[in-house]
Amino acid sequence: MSTSDLATSASRDRKRQDSALFIPLFGTFLFLSPFITVFTGSATVFGLPLIFVYIFGAWLGLVVIARITARRLDKS
Amino acid sequence: MLSLNTLIAASLGYAVLLFAIAFWAERRAKAGRIGWLRSPFVYTLSISVYCTGWTFYGAVGSAARNGFEFVTIYLGPTLVFIGWWWLLRKLLRVGRTQRITSIADLISSRYGKSTTLAVLVTLLAVIGSTPYIALQLQSITLSFSVIDSGGNADLTAFWVAAGLAAFTILFGTRNVDANERHHGVVTAIAIEAVVKLIALLSVGIFVVWGIGGGPAEIFAKAPAEMLSGDNIFSARWVSLTMLSAMAIITLPRMFQVIVVENADERHLATASWAFPGYLLLMSLFVLPIAIAGNALLPSGSNPDLYVLSLPLSQGQNNLALFAFLGGFSSATSMVIIAAIALSTMVSNHIIMPIWLRFNSTETETSGDVRTILLRSRRLSIAGILLLGYLYFRLTGGSGALASIGLIAFAGSAQIIPSLLGGLFWRGATRTGALLGLLAGFALWAYTLFLPSFEGSFILSQSALENGPFGMSFLKPSALMGLTGYDPLVHSLFWSMAFNIILFVFGSLFSTPRPLERIQSSQFVDVFRLDKSTGTYLVSRSATSEDLFTLAQRILGTDPAHRLFTEMAHQQDKTIGLPDATDKLVQTLERQLAGSVGAASAHAMVSQIAGGGTVSVDELMKIADETAQIMEYSQQLENQSHRLEHTAQELRAANAQLTEMGAQKDAFLSQLSHELRTPMTSIRSFSEILQENEGLGLDDSRRFLGIIQEESERLTRLLDEILDLSHLESGRGKLPLEPIALQEVIRKSLSATGALLEDTEMEVILDLPKAPLIVRSNFDRLVQVFINLISNAAKYGRGDNPALRIRLTAKSDSAIILLADNGPGIARTDRKKVFEKFTRLSEANLAGSAGLGLPISREIMRNLGGELSLLDSDVGAAFRIALPRNLE
């Protein structure tokens, strides 16, 4: 492995770790007021209240991102 | 309608099934077929012990009353788990390296293995958990009462508690080592996790699509204020999310499943997304069930039981039974794990220290500590469940229990500042942790826990309403006149604020003890320290026999034997006990900590090892912050030094190679010159002979003589070159035999006799009488001597030429000196005499090919001896040294 490969893989590892550190902060931002109050209107999506769709959608999104990150971190 | 008998039969059958599964898993693990028993998904499912009966039934109740608020209880843990890289990873690593057995053990171990802290955290955990266990008993009896309202709740609760105690004692105290996994329990918990998830999902699917007519229909029935949530996403929302995030780490049972029962750190990577996914599924149908319950069930029904009463009201008895089992699973799994965690804490941190104090002499002499340890754990389990049952009896039926879940969360969250500070802040001290914990717990108890009794316990009704003794600024729900906040937010604010402030200031204004400093770097730098960087815990006055006895009595004979054999191997001892080194003491203490907790293990080992104090010398070795950093930078420096050194060596080697190349070139040009001279004369004379036919016979003879002479010289030269290259390569080993050096010298002198006579050189011999025998090669030695003697005869002639040869014997070598009294060799030329084809000043070595001395030196080298030129004022003096070993 040449030095440039090493440098790339080191920076990739660093990025994975950074993203693992950032996800919970992002999640906190999504779920805490005031941002969450943006979605509390009376609008509906397919008959479901927007806030319900938002909370569970964001939740699912976080689970998916966490899974991708965890797999990458596990590999490196 | 379900009959009570069906219900009892179902729960008994389910319990038997769980016993069977636990038993089977335990046997499988014992046989070494661990396999999926320790898969990351079993680990994830075991963490779902977070979802208790309170969340199974209570989440729907909470949603019916407060809409979305129930989600916070799941969002906090979700954030903690997707942020595992921050905290959980470190917590697990510390738990593993320090062999942590409980949350109390962790705090105690971090702050210098303090017994005080361990006792404090244990007591607070028991205080916080007892109502929580009671809550689980209540949720089970409540679910029974839905079926049979006339039943005896107390009796049900008693039998449930007794059954749970039996299960926990049977499967939770199999090993002394609390750090080992309880495979049976964990497997049973994982099964229960699946049952409760599927039960809740089934009820949800039935409610939404079976009776509700689809999700849109259900939400259309919801009152507007339930979903709008303008007042929900407030300080309480934030507080609850934070609270549940803290509780997922500090609740004793959560610490037990996440850290203590963890089998592989890598499982955390899977749990980091799978557990949030589990929580998502658990909460997905909570709101629809709550809405449907509000709309369909008669007003006045208990929202906490919608999960059961909705299927029942629709005549779905099987579904109701399944839901009941789900709730049963949630409640029982919580109680089992909490009982294991608390019993470990109580027996390790309260019973063992007391026992140790009263039996300090016995620790060293007799008795199997293991039986005492197991007995105390079993008693603790029974005691804890009894406590939960009594609490249920005393407060049973009162509405106060409903909020107990959050109150327990808030209580256990008080550990967070000491925990996070301990993991990330090197300066956190025992004093700080003690002050912070005491203040936090006191304020929590005063503002939240005691008021939950509504005036029946310690704080009277009037004290709750007007403050104690009428001091209104001390009113528990409005401390310092802080009003207008939710009681939970109010309590959390005061307790956390004082907890953190006292923790920080206490740490800043106190000096950590040596052991605290060691532990702090062990915790904070857990990813930077490798295992070998040890701690220097005890001054070494222990004998390994004492330590071995102690290990046998706590770990058992075989494990102790294994441990000590391994340590002996590491010390390169094949038999006997290992030496009582720091490392042995430290390893043993860690092993013991896995059974009895850090503080007790430290106390036991110290009792034997003497004092447990850290000496000044050892203090110097403590790797605290600066030492760590210095060590690292030094390592880097060393590395660059090494690199520089290597580069230097390479440069030197390169210079040497260049020089050798130049020498080779010079040698080749010299060689061709040397060969050319005889060749030229041979060719010229043969041409003359060929072209001048009238040449006289005498002339022809003379010319032919010259040609022959030159050919011989050429042959000799080539022989010499071949000989030299053969010797230099060192390929041909010279055969050795015992020979007398006097004999060699005589033979050489007779061979050079004619030359010496011609040059009228006198030879002065100084030889010992007794033959000096060395092991060497006769012919080659003669060759060297002939060379040196003829050189002296040819070039070393002065007035009255004389050659002095002296042979002396030393203890390990024989020395021969050959000195002539000729012009000698110029000081500047002395280095060059051994180089090939060296021409010194013309007068000295005219006409010679100059290979004699290099060959001689090579021969001596091959014979293991040495030929050197001595500094001398008159003439040239050579010295020959030969080893005298006769083997």
Side-chain angles (χ1 to χ4, degrees), chain B residues 664-685:
Chain B
K664 194 136 222 155
D665 287 347
F667 172 71
L668 281 175
S669 88
Q670 198 68 43
L671 180 65
S672 44
H673 179 76
E674 293 289 339
L675 292 174
R676 204 184 163 92
T677 319
M679 287 298 282
T680 313
S681 59
I682 290 170
R683 215 180 64 206
S684 335
F685 283 108

Side-chain angles (χ1 to χ4, degrees), chain B residues 681-695 699 703 707:
Chain B
S681 59
I682 290 170
R683 215 180 64 206
S684 335
F685 283 108
S686 46
E687 267 170 22
I688 293 172
L689 282 172
Q690 209 167 28
E691 282 163 19
N692 301 320
E693 286 175 359
L695 214 58
D699 279 342
F703 289 164
I707 289 175

